[in-house]
Amino acid sequence: MRALIIDDEELARKRILNLLEEVPEIMVSGECSNGKTAIIQINDLKPDLIFLDINMKDMNGFEVLQEINISPKPLVIFVTAYDNYATKAFDVDAFDFLLKPFKDQRFFKTISKILNISRSEADSNFEKKIKELFKIYSREAKEVSSPGKIPIKQGNKTMLLDPAEISYIIASGCYAEIFTDNKKHVLRESLNNLEEMLDENIFFRIHRSTIVNLNHVKEIVHSEYSEIDARMTDDKLLHISKSNKKQFLEKIGI
């Protein structure tokens, strides 16, 4: 069985790699330190098994699995440091999880279970299972944070930002730049996660890298080739992708 280890913490990858040296049935094909690389490696290497960190800097593990296009699907062992949703989220056939920090005994118990599951079992209703897990993950993540607020760390303090103050959010590598009327906040979070936290009646994703507060859109600017941009209250011009144009115009009543 060929395995791929995906975790943005080097020590976590090494721990799994060392433990797998005692499992002759599993050969490690590679390691990945972020979600984007993981998607490429999974599609290229077609591993039988993946150890997948849930909370990576650029995206979460469920987003990675939604982007892979191999068949049959790999067996998945999720790795997480958060137990608030684990018992709910991972009671799904053909999946298992390791809660950091895990003991060697727990690791080998998980491996024993995985070795007795066929890839056809993992492949069965794979997409449906991932969507269910992603919904649970998103719901539980919301419950952890303060209701209606977005926690942003600033040195030794955590500011609770009211979403109503947000004008727009732009993706910047592993971070999200959150713009209010008079300030920019930088948060290590994916746009997908932030989108799940925000009210869909007020916020809309106009582009894969941009979310806007519809109440802060000042005007629509039409350009050539039927393209449009949104001018925000701070005069920032943000491009609206063609795929989102129709729904955006419906949202603002045009």
Side-chain angles (χ1 to χ4, degrees), residues 233-254:
T233 50
D234 64 354
D235 285 328
K236 177 74 172 181
L237 207 59
L238 300 172
H239 183 64
I240 300 166
S241 67
K242 289 183 178 180
S243 60
N244 292 329
K245 175 183 174 182
K246 181 179 179 182
Q247 190 177 357
F248 172 75
L249 293 175
E250 290 175 351
K251 282 275 189 180
I252 61 175
I254 296 179

Side-chain angles (χ1 to χ4, degrees), residues 5 8 15-17 21 28 30 53 55 67 76 78 117 126 170 179 189-191 198 215 222 231 234 236 254:
I5 303 171
D8 59 4
R15 172 96 194 284
I16 293 174
L17 190 62
E21 290 180 356
V28 177
D53 185 15
N55 297 89
E67 295 294 326
V76 181
F78 292 102
I117 298 175
F126 186 91
I170 298 176
F179 292 82
E189 187 62 90
S190 71
L191 244 60
L198 298 168
N215 295 326
H222 299 264
R231 191 181 300 280
D234 64 354
K236 177 74 172 181
I254 296 179

Side-chain angles (χ1 to χ4, degrees), residues 5 7 9-23 28 31 51 79 98-108:
I5 303 171
D7 199 305
E9 296 179 6
E10 184 179 1
L11 290 177
R13 296 197 305 273
K14 284 186 176 180
R15 172 96 194 284
I16 293 174
L17 190 62
N18 290 336
L19 289 170
L20 285 176
E21 290 180 356
E22 300 182 37
V23 185
V28 177
E31 301 176 39
F51 293 85
V79 184
L98 291 168
L99 183 62
K100 298 178 182 178
F102 53 84
K103 296 181 179 180
D104 292 3
Q105 184 180 4
R106 177 68 176 89
F107 178 86
F108 292 119

Side-chain angles (χ1 to χ4, degrees), residues 103-124:
K103 296 181 179 180
D104 292 3
Q105 184 180 4
R106 177 68 176 89
F107 178 86
F108 292 119
K109 181 179 180 181
T110 297
I111 293 299
S112 178
K113 173 185 174 181
I114 288 295
L115 290 175
N116 289 308
I117 298 175
S118 67
R119 288 191 71 185
S120 60
E121 287 181 78
D123 201 43
S124 176

